[in-house]
Amino acid sequence: MAERDPVWPVLVKPALPHDSAHLHVAGAAHYADDMPEPADMLHLAFGQSSEAHADILAIDLDAVRAFPGVVAVLTAADIPGTNDVSPVAGDDRLLAEGQVIHVGQPVFLVAATSRQAARQAARLGRIDYAPRPALLTIEAAREAGSLIEPTQRMARGDAAAALAAAPHRLPGSFDMGGQDHFYLEGQVSVATPLEDGQIHLLCSTQHPSEVQHLVAHMLGRSSADVTVEVRRMGGAFGGKETQAALFAAAAALVAHHSGRPAKFRCDRDDDMVMTGKRHAFHIAYDAGFDDDGHVLGLQLRLASRCGATVDLSPAINDRAMFHSDNCYWLPDVEIVSERLKTNTVSDTAFRGFGGPQGMIAIERVMDAVAAHLGIDPITVRTANLYGPGRDVTPYGMTITDNIAPQMIARLRSEARYDARSAQIDAFNASSPILKKGIALTPVKFGISFTTTHLNQAGALVLVYADGSIQINHGGTEMGQGLYIKVAQVVADVFQVPVTQVRITATRTDKVPNTSATAASSGADLNGMAACQGAMAIRDRLTAFAARSFGCAEDEVHFTPEGVTVGQQRLGFGELCRKAHLARVPLSSTGFYATPDIAYDRDTHQGRPFYYFAYGAAVCEVAIDTLTGEHRVLAVDILHDVGRSLNPAIDIGQIEGGFIQGQGWLTTEELVFDDKGRLLTHSPATYKIPTASDRPRQFTISLWDGENVEPTINRSKAVGEPPFMLAISVFSALSRAIAATAPDIRSLPPLDAPATPEKILRAIAGHRAA
Amino acid sequence: MTVRFLLDGEVVAIDAVDPTATLLDHLRTRMRRTGTKEGCAEGDCGACTVLLGEMDAGGRAVAWRSVNACILFLPMLDGKALLTVESLARDGALNPLQACMAANGSSQCGFCTPGFVMSLYGRSIGASGHELPVADVLAGNLCRCTGYGPILAAGETCATLRRDDEATLEGLRQLARTPCTSGIHEGRTWYAPRTADELAEILAANPDTHMVAGATDVGLWVTKGLQTMEKLVFVGDIAELRGIDETPDALRIGAAVRYADVHAAFARLHPDLGELTRRIGGLQVRNAGTVGGNIANGSPIGDGPPALIALGAELTLRSTAGRRTMPLEDYFLGYGQQDRRPWEFVESIRVPRPGPGDIVHISKLSRRFDSDISAVCGAFALKVKDGRIVAARIAFGGMAATPRRASACEAALTGNAFTFETIERAAQALAGDYAPLTDVRGSAAYRTEAAANLLRRLWHRARGGQADLFALEASHG
């Protein structure tokens, strides 16, 4: 390996705990809302739209202004610069102008001396609306031709002809709901006005640079006047990639107008109403296949509800297309992706970023083909896997690291899939009320931002004369363990204990123009950037040591016992002190841009991904056919993280990702009423998994392999891929439902999330099929 | 008047108490103890979990219980001891539970972690609910990052921890000498009587007073409804309303008995009632919420009432004019309407013990098993004699504007043989009993179908069929 990776050694990295774990458990880790509040701090709340789509005729804010404690009430007219908080398209208003396009949209902003006063006053605004027709569903938007961008098509060969020629042909469709992020720490930003018009923002965001740029434009200032800082987030999952900007901009606007520090800590219910979610999709497929289940032709239609503005929907829907092959060779295929514009809150990034929706579409096809042929779904899945001579994706990327077949085979054996499958069939034959189901589903997830220029990162490494080290990079910590991973990388470069490395808050005044911490890319990009920065300093120290001790540079070695220079050894701190006295610079930036990726969005062809991360899961469930209730009984996971940067952190991501995916597909249901109001806007009605929903039998193994590409330590990204392992839950549920009428050769009509009601409906549908 | 409580051995005295100021806000903004987090401000996520202690009945130990600080009003702390996450580390050293959680990956983003620490710490020192499995103790704590595995493991590893409560006990004795029983803050009045007579007098003089027991419902009027209440009376510290009296033929409980305190007695009355209680809120909610409050607030779902109605519970109301006793079902008049005069309060509930041979079955259907509100809650109590159903009491929650009995279904059962055919006829009759609504928790069609199926489930279970999802194990291959 050393010859392939001359710069850094590939190491077995220790399973160190999260760098803040000792602070988390003591309540001593500081989040944005935990910092001391200056006496003159203002607290904020939005006056929200009650309408899904309407013209604003008049706004009467007299009662709001008169409310005790209110200091300022601002509307769009008070914005000095651009009224925009959107990531790309320029279509997300900070405060509504002339019309509202979804319920909960901010119309005015209240600043008061207490949070309670701001929230109470915000409910007193009187807004006269002239309602317009509101498009609330995928069907309504499709009928009206309402799109956020033109329908996209990714195709190879002639799917229609292949379908016509196939021995079997099976059309079908299903729906899946969106998902609220439910980060435990809600959206929060604190803006502090500084001298000469500058603003400092303490913000819970995955994308400090974007917040910086948006706030600067909104205030009509330059980016250099705005500093954004984030030490940690209390969860994010994509929900603080673009959605944090709204609250940051509001706080900055009040700080700008009042000259006082301003905090926006959003109430949970308001947060759930006002911020975007995972996209709901309607999937329609038409599959042609042979007697063995080989898919010969496939037409796939992915229609998503994008909400009222563009946000990141184009890239999210692209990723749905990219993952609708999952691990399978689709010779003649046409994937059509409709991005529907609705009068609902704009849907946004969420772990997997469209990938889960595309992947479950093809897994559903596999299950449907198997049901139609009356064979085990695992047979259909393995028959369709990529392999030699059938290794090019629908977007034209050749798969060079196809480990899915080996992983599936190993997991199938270790989880005793076949024996359990037979046992389950026997159980179902003798159990009239309870039915079990089992499924093995694989994951192949493409790693890189599909918008190529985002695949870059910067870092700043500071070595002090006492040998202690500070690192800073553009990545943000949301609980995923990025900071500890990067600290381990830097500690390894200098061969010092990781405790010698102080990880510092992400700040736009240390590393500029950063990308969002997203797309699972945090450790890949920032780890490499930090490594480059640290290597630059190590090279200088090496040259200095060789020079001062009169030996060759290759006689200088950084070891855990100290730095050996020729025959001598000295402590790292001692070397740093000497270097400082000799006027050797001990700080460096580091930079990394992912190589070899290029994608043409016009043709949907190219290499959007640097590599793929793989995984597979076996899941066993049981359902109650009287009530539609279910339990996840056992889960076995085999997952590929390459040569792990930190196995403990990675396993935590796998387990947490799986449970989050399980929630998406089972208990988490977003319900909107016919006025476009979200009814499930609190944890009282929106149910993420609890401790008892975790399967009692749950094993996680790491695949013993390394990245074929020279990533940092030959590791692989881990944030998003495990989320999609939970598709196995949905497949297993479908199989359990099918057992209520085992002679019927069709896939039960199950929609996601599989709530008791949906399972009961699917049982009825299956029996009637 | 001054509200006093113990925190880390020191008396905290708060003058000029805003009666609806929450403990969470006070901790975070006034005391700068920011380890306790706000995740939802409605008692559903547990990020604000703290432990409250009071002297046990014998006065010889501190009875601790986990509660949600986000919906706990400050006057409710009077005379209690409080532990927050900051209380646990001694001289900067983590306690064994914290150390275990820090080492084993129990935290990722860390925001929910202090709440988990407090729930698990409570379990390890014998707090209310400590006999429950770890996952049950954590049902009221949401984590979005970890998938719970390491947290559950830490709870098992550190299942018991020593705690010396001598000083706390002495502090509580001292505090008991200066109870704070009323206050006025910016024109808003609150009372915290210690006897039922005082409560009756207060309500007689001030019938416009809001009663607060555990504040698991009223708390949300403040944190979410942003209401300002002019008069409040806190009834949680009235000892005579907190009695549990188990006799061979009935269970009588005071209205201010918390669900957690009666959980074991309910389970002894019938296992299904115990299981239903386990699924009412999280432990923090059951440690605050009372059976009386759950009845008095008249929710159309009312997790407890359908079961209590089927079991034949009676309710006693009290005022300065005396007492009134009625079958529980008669208390619920209509949506948001109860048979309680403004000067009356719920004093006690009497639940008859099922006789031998009675078939009792209680089922709650919700999207999530733990800490969720029912879409449908069905409760059945059948008296079967010589193969014949001689009496049937059936009540449902979530099927009408109030928890209500199913008279057509009961009639279809009563007097008939306990057979599959009778059950089928009764299941069909149920459709005539209710016209449920479609709402956020379920459609009318689902409710109707599932309600009938709960009766079929009863039949299946009565005949010994395997119909319990929780009893299933994974296949071993």
Side-chain angles (χ1 to χ4, degrees), chain B residues 333-367:
Chain B
L333 301 176
Y335 183 77
Q337 274 190 300
Q338 298 90 39
D339 185 10
R340 181 179 71 81
R341 294 155 195 145
W343 54 87
E344 285 181 317
F345 61 92
V346 176
E347 183 184 49
S348 66
I349 302 107
R350 182 181 176 278
V351 194
R353 225 170 263 286
D358 287 7
I359 295 173
V360 172
H361 176 69
I362 302 165
S363 274
K364 165 175 170 168
L365 300 180
S366 49
R367 272 200 198 89

Side-chain angles (χ1 to χ4, degrees), chain A residues 219-307:
Chain A
L219 293 177
R221 313 278 311 188
S222 71
S223 290
D225 290 337
V226 179
T227 298
V228 178
E229 174 180 357
V230 47
R231 171 59 187 85
R232 62 171 62 79
M233 286 167 272
F237 316 110
K240 294 171 181 172
E241 183 171 350
T242 64
Q243 305 296 294
L246 173 66
F247 305 93
L253 182 63
V254 170
H256 166 85
H257 275 286
S258 66
R260 293 165 66 167
K263 181 195 284 191
F264 203 135
R265 178 168 69 78
C266 193
D267 171 69
R268 171 64 58 185
D269 292 53
D270 290 342
D271 189 320
M272 292 183 77
V273 167
M274 298 178 70
T275 63
K277 300 161 202 325
R278 185 185 297 285
H279 293 62
F281 271 63
H282 175 77
I283 307 288
Y285 56 82
D286 196 350
F289 46 98
D290 65 17
D291 291 344
D292 299 323
H294 292 109
V295 174
L296 305 174
L298 178 68
Q299 285 179 330
L300 205 52
R301 203 169 187 86
L302 314 174
S304 77
R305 184 194 61 199
C306 296

Side-chain angles (χ1 to χ4, degrees), chain B residues 209-263:
Chain B
T209 301
H210 291 287
M211 264 183 283
V212 181
T216 56
D217 190 23
V218 178
L220 276 68
W221 302 1
V222 174
T223 61
K224 298 295 166 179
L226 307 182
Q227 289 185 32
T228 327
M229 284 168 275
E230 296 303 315
K231 289 181 186 171
L232 289 123
V233 57
F234 298 99
V235 304
D237 286 326
I238 301 174
E240 15 175 347
L241 297 184
R242 285 175 55 182
I244 299 175
D245 184 17
E246 287 188 85
T247 63
D249 59 340
L251 171 65
R252 181 186 291 278
I253 52 179
V257 168
R258 302 176 195 111
Y259 266 111
D261 295 335
V262 77
H263 189 167

Side-chain angles (χ1 to χ4, degrees), chain A residues 50-376:
Chain A
S50 59
E51 306 300 308
H53 193 194
D55 292 325
I56 297 174
L57 301 179
I59 304 180
D60 175 0
L61 301 175
D62 289 351
V64 185
R65 290 198 173 88
F67 194 83
V70 169
V71 172
V73 183
L74 306 176
T75 64
D78 299 304
I79 296 170
T82 316
N83 183 8
D84 176 43
V85 291
S86 73
V88 182
D91 59 347
D92 281 306
R93 303 283 82 89
L94 166 55
L95 295 168
E97 280 183 80
Q99 63 164 344
V100 290
I101 50 177
H102 66 88
V103 171
Q105 184 183 349
V107 177
F108 61 92
L109 174 62
V110 185
T113 51
S114 77
R115 191 167 171 269
Q116 180 85 353
R119 292 175 65 208
Q120 283 177 312
R123 296 186 183 186
L124 302 177
R126 289 172 50 96
I127 303 165
D128 288 337
Y129 297 103
R132 287 164 164 266
L135 302 170
L136 302 175
T137 62
I138 287 174
E139 305 82 73
R142 182 185 268 167
E143 210 160 285
S146 170
L147 297 167
I148 59 147
E149 68 167 349
T151 295
Q152 302 289 306
R153 181 175 177 273
M154 178 187 286
R156 168 171 56 205
D158 187 343
L163 273 171
H168 304 276
R169 183 169 179 166
L170 184 64
S173 67
F174 73 107
D175 288 293
M176 71 191 86
Q179 184 179 28
D180 190 89
H181 302 84
F182 210 85
Y183 27 67
L184 263 290
E185 176 209 39
Q187 301 280 353
V188 54
S189 275
V190 184
T192 307
L194 306 175
E195 66 178 24
D196 205 16
Q198 298 176 81
I199 294 258
H200 174 271
L201 278 155
L202 187 60
C203 181
S204 183
T205 176
Q206 294 169 250
H207 204 342
S209 283
E210 187 167 276
V211 169
Q212 176 198 22
H213 302 154
L214 286 168
V215 166
H217 290 156
M218 187 274 298
L219 293 177
R221 313 278 311 188
S222 71
S223 290
D225 290 337
V226 179
T227 298
V228 178
E229 174 180 357
V230 47
R231 171 59 187 85
R232 62 171 62 79
M233 286 167 272
F237 316 110
K240 294 171 181 172
E241 183 171 350
T242 64
Q243 305 296 294
L246 173 66
F247 305 93
L253 182 63
V254 170
H256 166 85
H257 275 286
S258 66
R260 293 165 66 167
K263 181 195 284 191
F264 203 135
R265 178 168 69 78
C266 193
D267 171 69
R268 171 64 58 185
D269 292 53
D270 290 342
D271 189 320
M272 292 183 77
V273 167
M274 298 178 70
T275 63
K277 300 161 202 325
R278 185 185 297 285
H279 293 62
F281 271 63
H282 175 77
I283 307 288
Y285 56 82
D286 196 350
F289 46 98
D290 65 17
D291 291 344
D292 299 323
H294 292 109
V295 174
L296 305 174
L298 178 68
Q299 285 179 330
L300 205 52
R301 203 169 187 86
L302 314 174
S304 77
R305 184 194 61 199
C306 296
T309 63
V310 173
D311 192 74
L312 301 173
S313 289
I316 290 165
N317 284 274
D318 284 358
R319 197 171 264 275
M321 298 168 78
F322 288 131
H323 289 83
S324 49
D325 62 340
N326 197 14
C327 298
Y328 310 113
W329 163 244
L330 303 170
D332 287 277
V333 57
E334 180 186 38
I335 303 160
V336 174
S337 165
E338 294 173 275
R339 294 101 196 262
L340 295 151
K341 183 175 183 172
T342 51
N343 294 110
T344 50
V345 65
S346 197
D347 287 300
T348 192
F350 194 150
R351 202 176 200 167
F353 204 72
Q357 294 96 319
M359 201 176 289
I360 199 172
I362 190 68
E363 292 302 336
R364 198 84 188 133
V365 170
M366 294 294 143
D367 283 336
V369 168
H372 184 83
L373 295 172
I375 56 179
D376 192 311

Side-chain angles (χ1 to χ4, degrees), chain A residues 60 73 181 186 222 330 415 447 496 503 537 540 612 632 714 721 741:
Chain A
D60 175 0
V73 183
H181 302 84
S222 71
L330 303 170
I447 303 300
V496 297
I503 311 158
I537 298 171
R540 284 184 220 139
F612 294 100
V632 178
R714 297 262 170 182

